[in-house]
Amino acid sequence: MQHHDVLIVGGGMVGNTLAAILLQQNFNVGIVEASPEKPWDTEQADLRTFALTRASEYIFRHTQTWDAMQASRISPYEHMHVWDATGTGEIHFDCADIHEPSLGYIVEQSVIQKALTQRLSEFENLTMYRPLKVENFELTGKTMQVHLNNGETISTQLLVGAEGAHSYIRYLAGIPYDMHDYGQQAIVANIKTELPHQFTAWQRFLPTGPLAFLPLQDKHWCSIVWSVDSPHALRLVDLDTDEFHKELEAAFEHKLGAILESSQRVAFPLQSRVVRQYVQPRLALIGDAAHTVHPLAGQGVNLGLLDAATLGEVLINAKHEDFGQKIVLRRYERWRKGHNVMMAGAMYGFKNVFGHSAPPVKWLRNFGLNLTNSSGLAKKVIMRQAMALEGDLPQLIKCFD
Ligand SMILES: Cc1cc2nc3c(=O)[nH]c(=O)nc-3n(C[C@H](O)[C@H](O)[C@H](O)COP(=O)(O)OP(=O)(O)OC[C@H]3O[C@@H](n4cnc5c(N)ncnc54)[C@H](O)[C@@H]3O)c2cc1C
């Protein structure tokens, strides 16, 4: 029977990052991934893009994948402009105010995954199981016995669920979670605009939901994330191209002029999920398997990468102990759970405050935006928070800051 120090289920961005962190410290790692192997194509622009924080950049530097991403295609953004569609409230962030070269980066999923996959292929202490799934597992003494759907059984000191929002490991472990369905879907697409994006991440809060234009490497192309109620989303996905461009221009107040071209549109249902337990003996959840948040602040994968970095650090520090014990895994849970719950709550709060049409709420939020915009100090604090460089961070991030 194959044995691994750590068996990670789900080779998404978060699972692969944890694998790289552990492999670099000579852990013997297995990854079970449901999808078949396919080379990541970075020639074509990917519809799935992510706003990455500085902390995520440092995690990728640690895993020696950042240079490959930079050599491929990343788009730093220097400004962020947020405004309320129902008033005069607006706020503008500029990286120069905190003496940083950028506030973050827009990076395509294919670029991230290609760099991670390339890095993982350099390790002999990694075994990939794909396209396969876990059917069941049981705790036997000091190991977890994990049964795959091809009949193979693998033993491991620690099983990690990293298979995203619909984690089967979480289900098999009977871990409860609290869920909120926003009743909304986010439409993503790549859009060519008449005016250049000015290396700015734009976000307009409409009563129907937030609309973000995120700058891509070509200064006339942005990736959009447009959250609206589900029936509205399905209608927007089905609209013909010219009609869609007209609705999008109006929703974005023609901020970057006319919409000239657009890619295919895809809609993602929006739910928030917070698990009550991150760990059990010889089992841990990371990334979307542990929490899913509204994408309005582009935090989901950034939180997952922090989980990977934190769990990695806890395991590395306990490498010479029995690191699958709950007492060790609890260090990871205590470190990450509060922060993730707070972020999920903050996204929920933002979504509700900006969706409220009562005049006092509208007045208050516009006043709040303008007040914050006029306070240099408050803006500096928010920018550092948004870069995820505040709080109790794993050492592997701190050593770059
Ligand atoms: C519209 C939208 C925009 C977003 N924008 C941002 C953003 O700008 N910034 C940001 O930080 N986050 C963003 N997010 C959130 C981000 O997409 C997620 O947080 C992130 O993808 C989670 O990564 P993960 O690796 O945990 O899970 P996933 O990306 O879901 O990866 C899971 C992996 O597990 C595999 N898998 C699934 N089931 C099984 C199984 N049973 N067995 C084995 N393998 C399995 C899958 O094939 C996949 O490879 C956005 C989300 C949405 C919906």
Side-chain angles (χ1 to χ4, degrees):
M1 191 195 300
Q2 270 278 16
H3 177 83
H4 296 291
D5 297 329
V6 179
L7 183 68
I8 301 167
V9 186
M13 292 171 286
V14 173
N16 281 346
T17 299
L18 175 64
I21 291 170
L22 295 176
L23 289 163
Q24 290 179 176
Q25 294 296 323
N26 297 321
F27 278 71
N28 176 329
V29 177
I31 298 179
V32 183
E33 167 57 44
S35 66
E37 184 167 6
K38 65 161 175 99
W40 287 93
D41 175 14
T42 51
E43 294 302 313
Q44 302 291 325
D46 192 345
L47 286 188
R48 293 306 312 274
T49 63
F50 301 98
L52 296 183
T53 60
R54 187 73 86 247
S56 294
E57 172 197 336
Y58 292 162
I59 293 169
F60 288 137
R61 282 192 188 281
H62 176 83
T63 57
Q64 296 175 37
T65 50
W66 185 249
D67 288 350
M69 291 180 210
Q70 271 193 310
S72 179
R73 201 163 46 230
I74 69 167
S75 173
Y77 59 94
E78 296 161 10
H79 309 265
M80 191 186 293
H81 191 81
V82 178
W83 74 109
D84 188 341
T86 65
T88 56
E90 61 178 356
I91 186 160
H92 188 88
F93 298 103
D94 182 346
C95 64
D97 292 343
I98 48 170
H99 312 292
E100 289 281 345
S102 68
L103 292 172
Y105 308 88
I106 308 301
V107 193
E108 293 154 58
Q109 181 176 32
S110 55
V111 169
I112 299 173
Q113 282 285 57
K114 187 173 180 179
L116 281 166
T117 314
Q118 178 69 42
R119 177 72 177 133
L120 292 182
S121 71
E122 293 167 14
F123 293 97
E124 285 178 358
N125 42 336
L126 170 70
T127 309
M128 285 299 300
Y129 300 89
R130 76 185 303 174
L132 288 170
K133 289 184 176 182
V134 170
E135 254 181 12
N136 223 325
F137 56 81
E138 78 258 346
L139 200 53
T140 315
K142 286 193 170 183
T143 61
M144 192 72 108
Q145 308 288 312
V146 183
H147 309 289
L148 304 186
N149 61 347
N150 64 349
E152 202 174 338
T153 297
I154 305 165
S155 78
T156 183
Q157 249 170 290
L158 175 65
L159 177 63
V160 177
E163 345 88 298
H166 304 287
S167 168
Y168 193 54
I169 297 299
R170 182 182 70 210
Y171 166 76
L172 288 173
I175 295 179
Y177 59 87
D178 298 307
M179 192 188 106
H180 172 74
D181 191 333
Y182 284 101
Q184 289 206 319
Q185 302 204 12
I187 298 168
V188 301
N190 292 336
I191 303 290
K192 185 175 184 186
T193 56
E194 185 187 4
L195 303 175
H197 53 52
Q198 302 147 52
F199 301 98
T200 302
W202 307 85
Q203 174 118 276
R204 184 175 191 225
F205 279 95
L206 294 121
T208 45
L211 167 61
F213 271 58
L214 307 171
L216 295 175
Q217 201 177 45
D218 181 319
K219 63 184 192 295
H220 285 278
W221 279 88
C222 289
S223 161
I224 61 153
V225 184
W226 188 2
S227 306
V228 288
D229 289 346
S230 295
H232 187 178
L234 299 179
R235 191 181 69 76
L236 287 173
V237 167
D238 286 341
L239 274 184
D240 77 42
T241 307
D242 286 345
E243 287 297 316
F244 177 71
H245 289 183
K246 276 192 201 123
E247 289 215 20
L248 183 58
E249 283 168 7
F252 195 53
E253 272 188 327
H254 305 267
K255 209 72 174 180
L256 296 178
I259 308 289
L260 304 178
E261 272 180 58
S262 61
S263 70
Q264 172 203 2
R265 288 154 244 156
V266 181
F268 293 88
L270 297 181
Q271 292 158 341
S272 143
R273 249 181 230 88
V274 179
V275 301
R276 302 221 191 119
Q277 229 183 335
Y278 278 34
V279 300
Q280 288 183 352
R282 309 210 171 275
L283 187 144
L285 299 178
I286 58 172
D288 272 24
H291 44 78
T292 48
V293 300
H294 195 291
L296 68 87
Q299 283 299 323
V301 80
N302 292 297
L303 297 178
L305 294 171
L306 281 172
D307 294 347
T310 307
L311 179 60
E313 189 153 305
V314 166
L315 298 179
I316 290 162
N317 289 341
K319 193 174 180 198
H320 302 294
E321 302 171 41
D322 179 6
F323 55 77
Q325 295 175 87
K326 193 169 172 191
I327 191 170
V328 175
L329 300 176
R330 277 279 292 146
R331 291 176 205 155
Y332 155 67
E333 181 177 70
R334 278 197 300 272
W335 201 342
R336 290 299 305 148
K337 192 175 167 197
H339 180 237
N340 288 333
V341 168
M342 188 196 74
M343 290 302 282
M347 295 311 112
Y348 179 76
F350 270 125
K351 166 72 188 60
N352 284 342
V353 164
F354 280 96
H356 226 288
S357 54
V361 181
K362 278 202 286 191
W363 183 85
L364 260 178
R365 69 174 183 243
N366 279 283
F367 176 74
L369 279 175
N370 289 330
L371 186 69
T372 313
N373 198 35
S374 61
S375 162
L377 184 64
K379 284 208 294 188
K380 283 179 189 165
V381 171
I382 295 170
M383 281 189 271
R384 289 282 299 176
Q385 291 280 358
M387 293 168 96
L389 293 177
E390 298 296 308
D392 189 8
L393 296 168
Q395 195 54 38
L396 70 86
I397 296 175
K398 275 199 267 188
C399 67
F400 284 99
D401 192 18

